[in-house]
Amino acid sequence: MDLDGARTLVAGASGALGTGLAQALHARGARVVVGGRRREPLDVLAAQFATAPVLFDAVDGDSCRRAVDEAVEALGGLDLLVVCVGVAAFGPALEADAAVVDELFAVNVLGPMSLVRAAAPALAASDRGRVAVLSAILADLPTNQMAEYSATKAALSSWLEVLRRENRRAFGVLDVRPPHLDTGLETRALAGTPPPLPDPRSAGEVVEATVAALVDDVRVLGWDPKEKKLVSRAS
Ligand SMILES: NC(=O)c1ccc[n+]([C@@H]2O[C@H](COP(=O)([O-])OP(=O)(O)OC[C@H]3O[C@@H](n4cnc5c(N)ncnc54)[C@H](OP(=O)(O)O)[C@@H]3O)[C@@H](O)[C@H]2O)c1
């Protein structure tokens, strides 16, 4: 897609990948509105883009819809929705706390779905509509001590696959599945202690690859363990 002038909402822009993507897309000429749940970091970012932030909590579907509507209104339409919302939790599958599992699925699956559903009419009305969503390598490689986190990412990727097929004439769908990164996500987990993790890759690498994948209309960016880089895939 052509990013120049693209009317863009980055949801989860207060996070490391969200901030990086918002800045990279702005640098490529996109008109960026940032969204998330904490006003302070969003205000700082939005000031760089001369736009106003939109607020939502991913566990509240109505707030997701309202935030998207506000962004569409402010931008006069929507060409690109980027979803970088997510949270982790760790521990053995049988020991997971039910409230934690509920929140994990609400933030990682139901919230992103609400955001995309709310944005779909505006994206379909655009001549270059596109969605990019951060899932994770865990969608391909479910990992011990991360059963629920893995399950959320597999559910999200599965939903994105069908979304792409059902709407191929309306808008494009990019699913980004990075490996462990240097953003500190694991230190902000809802519960548990992370198991030993591989050396983290840099968030900047993922930002760069995601922007390139948007330009090239890639469907899935998956991790190639031999090449040690994100590569484009059909599914
Ligand atoms: N870092 C990795 O190793 C890695 C690897 C693969 C995939 N990913 C995925 O990449 C995405 C971004 O992760 P990151 O590494 O950039 O982590 P991050 O810096 O912690 O960013 C997470 C974002 O999610 C937002 N968020 C969490 N709960 C929310 C809620 N209830 N409502 C609204 N927003 C909420 C956070 O908002 P606040 O600022 O308000 O907390 C933040 O903007 C996530 O989906 C993650 O699963 C990360």
Side-chain angles (χ1 to χ4, degrees), residues 14-17 37-38 57-58 85-86 135 149 153 179 181 183 188:
S14 57
L17 287 174
R37 68 178 163 177
R38 287 186 301 128
D57 191 319
V85 170
S135 63
Y149 184 36
K153 294 302 187 178
L181 304 174
T183 68
R188 295 182 283 280

Side-chain angles (χ1 to χ4, degrees), residues 5-48:
R7 297 162 297 179
T8 301
L9 170 59
V10 178
S14 57
L17 287 174
T19 297
L21 279 164
Q23 288 173 330
L25 291 165
H26 179 255
R28 291 291 200 111
R31 291 170 56 205
V32 179
V33 166
V34 291
R37 68 178 163 177
R38 287 186 301 128
R39 177 170 278 286
E40 241 176 60
L42 295 173
D43 274 343
V44 173
L45 257 185
Q48 296 172 22

Side-chain angles (χ1 to χ4, degrees), residues 11-19 35-39 41-42 56-60 64 83-88 103 106-108 112 133-138 149 152-153 156 176-186 188 190 197 200-201 203 206:
S14 57
L17 287 174
T19 297
R37 68 178 163 177
R38 287 186 301 128
R39 177 170 278 286
L42 295 173
F56 67 89
D57 191 319
V59 302
D60 175 356
C64 293
V83 181
C84 309
V85 170
V87 71
E103 185 168 349
V107 175
N108 290 359
V133 182
L134 267 298
S135 63
I137 191 174
L138 300 175
Y149 184 36
T152 64
K153 294 302 187 178
L156 182 59
V176 184
R177 302 179 190 168
H180 176 49
L181 304 174
D182 62 359
T183 68
L185 174 77
E186 72 280 9
R188 295 182 283 280
L190 292 178
L197 296 167
R201 307 291 304 191
V206 175

